[in-house]
Amino acid sequence: QVNLVESGGGLVQPGGSLRLSCAASGFTFSLFAMTWYRQAPGKERELVATINDSGGRLNYADSVKGRFTISRDNSANTVYLQMSKLKPEDTAVYYCNAHLRSILGKDYDYWGQGTQVTVSS
């Protein structure tokens, strides 16, 4: 059974740091690109950061570039999001996503349940 479980969210003051984790099971994690998304109240879902299967290619939203770092440990089936210099506008539910396009063109798209990050003084 496919499962993605985010953890590490919570309340943090502006300027602080949090490290989110997403533990994956039920599929071949090392074949999937992993992405962190977030959704704030009243806002559309936003791509935060993405990392390819091997971990060698990273992309970030402009709003988090230089502050957030995505990484993965394929041996642990886990993707991380290290968040630093947090701002109130980073407040959102953060979701991890696993995506694979097979050689047949079929998309596999898995989602976790989300973890709340609140940045407030």
Side-chain angles (χ1 to χ4, degrees):
Q1 183 175 6
V2 170
N3 202 24
L4 294 172
V5 180
E6 300 96 333
S7 62
L11 176 64
V12 64
Q13 294 185 1
S17 298
L18 282 174
R19 181 180 172 91
L20 306 183
S21 299
C22 176
S25 61
F27 63 99
T28 306
F29 178 82
S30 61
L31 297 180
F32 281 68
M34 298 297 299
T35 301
W36 287 96
Y37 291 86
R38 67 186 182 187
Q39 189 164 25
K43 302 291 183 66
E44 293 185 339
R45 185 183 64 191
E46 174 189 20
L47 189 151
V48 177
T50 190
I51 186 168
N52 77 329
D53 54 358
S54 68
R57 301 182 71 170
L58 316 174
N59 281 287
Y60 298 93
D62 287 342
S63 59
V64 308
K65 197 170 298 181
R67 300 188 297 119
F68 290 11
T69 301
I70 189 170
S71 62
R72 67 191 296 159
D73 183 350
N74 283 348
S75 69
N77 288 354
T78 303
V79 63
Y80 306 94
L81 186 68
Q82 178 66 51
M83 306 185 295
S84 300
K85 301 178 180 178
L86 283 160
K87 305 174 180 180
E89 51 262 46
D90 295 318
T91 296
V93 177
Y94 284 71
Y95 300 91
C96 71
N97 165 266
H99 181 262
L100 172 69
R101 174 162 286 174
S102 77
I103 60 173
L104 299 178
K106 178 178 174 63
D107 283 311
Y108 297 84
D109 198 48
Y110 305 135
W111 291 88
Q113 84 290 343
T115 186
Q116 176 71 48
V117 172
T118 303
V119 184
S120 177
S121 59

